[in-house]
Amino acid sequence: MKDHNCLPKKYAFTIDNQRFEIVNPAPTGRQILELAGRTPITKFLLVQSGHGQPREILPEDTVDLSCPGVERFRALPRECKEGFSGRREFRLPADDEVFLDSLELRWETVTVSNVMRLVIYDYPVPPGYNHETVDINLRIERSYPDTQIDMVYVYPGLSLSSGRGIGALANDSFDSKNWQRWSRHRQPGSAWQPGIDNVESHLALVNDWFNKEVRYGG
């Protein structure tokens, strides 16, 4: 009869919701990707979640699997894009950058007078405005993602095709352009949640703001 006490201890983790068990308590990012069949590893971004903000695991980094619980990872395909080479004057969390690349829109991170903004070009807006696409920017605080993203800035300015005015707008100068600031703020029911909210969730609110103006003012 086999003595199960003699079996080596195994450490569990999931990658893209697929479970794996290994006897090595401290695998490298390379070993995790190779075990999961995500090769060549240069084509994948390994992200660890479940400990606050998701963080990138480099191929040479080691991960401690001996802690209680099952470690969770995502292997996100890296995309090589030709053409536009935008400014990257500060870095966003890995999940934000992967999400922005998935939009297939040009984007930059720009710092002017110590103010950091994420700029997204040719962002689509719903029918009912004077433009089909605009450039938008989001102000990113240095304590982001613990500190919320607020409002949205638009260039060129939007107006409704119906002629009805849009409330709570102001001018904002940034990066040699005069942007239209939409003073829209989160309500108690949609308060910023560090570790959950990010660029993607804020853009969902921005889309809702754009749609509401057309619904109620179009």
Side-chain angles (χ1 to χ4, degrees):
M1 183 175 179
K2 184 179 292 186
D3 184 358
H4 293 283
N5 292 325
C6 295
L7 296 177
K9 183 175 180 179
K10 293 186 177 180
Y11 302 89
F13 67 90
T14 65
I15 184 165
D16 299 334
N17 294 323
Q18 184 179 2
R19 184 183 173 94
F20 296 88
E21 292 185 348
I22 59 176
V23 297
N24 179 8
T28 63
R30 176 184 299 276
Q31 290 169 331
I32 291 171
L33 285 170
E34 289 177 344
L35 179 63
R38 306 311 196 262
T39 56
I41 65 168
T42 54
K43 291 188 176 182
F44 291 91
L45 171 69
L46 183 63
V47 176
Q48 182 181 21
S49 58
H51 299 281
Q53 286 298 315
R55 70 183 186 96
E56 179 180 1
I57 304 296
L58 300 175
E60 63 272 18
D61 291 343
T62 58
V63 179
D64 182 6
L65 298 181
S66 64
C67 297
V70 178
E71 296 294 338
R72 294 182 290 119
F73 301 93
R74 294 175 61 197
L76 304 169
R78 296 183 185 271
E79 296 183 8
C80 297
K81 297 182 180 293
E82 301 293 338
F84 180 74
S85 179
R87 292 169 288 180
R88 298 290 189 268
E89 296 180 359
F90 63 91
R91 295 297 303 270
L92 292 165
D95 271 11
D96 280 340
E97 294 188 352
V98 170
F99 165 72
L100 288 165
D101 285 342
S102 75
L103 298 177
E104 298 188 350
L105 299 174
R106 297 177 300 145
W107 62 275
E108 298 182 305
T109 52
V110 182
T111 303
V112 177
S113 299
N114 210 35
V115 175
M116 304 191 306
R117 307 277 182 112
L118 163 65
V119 184
I120 306 174
Y121 295 94
D122 299 316
Y123 192 83
V125 296
Y129 287 101
N130 58 327
H131 299 290
E132 294 182 355
T133 64
V134 291
D135 301 340
I136 65 172
N137 83 63
L138 306 176
R139 179 164 177 159
I140 306 296
E141 303 299 334
R142 296 196 177 275
S143 52
Y144 172 82
D146 291 327
T147 300
Q148 72 169 359
I149 304 173
D150 192 31
M151 304 189 288
V152 66
Y153 304 79
V154 177
Y155 178 86
L158 287 171
S159 62
L160 290 168
S161 302
S162 66
R164 179 185 178 276
I166 303 173
L169 301 181
N171 293 326
D172 183 86
S173 179
F174 179 78
D175 200 25
S176 302
K177 293 180 181 178
N178 190 29
W179 299 77
Q180 182 187 63
R181 185 183 73 195
W182 284 53
S183 296
R184 308 290 190 275
H185 310 286
R186 290 171 175 266
Q187 300 304 308
S190 61
W192 183 267
Q193 301 180 71
I196 296 176
D197 281 305
N198 52 21
V199 168
E200 181 177 7
S201 65
H202 189 72
L203 286 180
L205 286 180
V206 170
N207 293 339
D208 186 54
W209 299 336
F210 290 160
N211 281 309
K212 279 183 177 178
E213 291 296 332
V214 173
R215 287 198 302 269
Y216 301 136

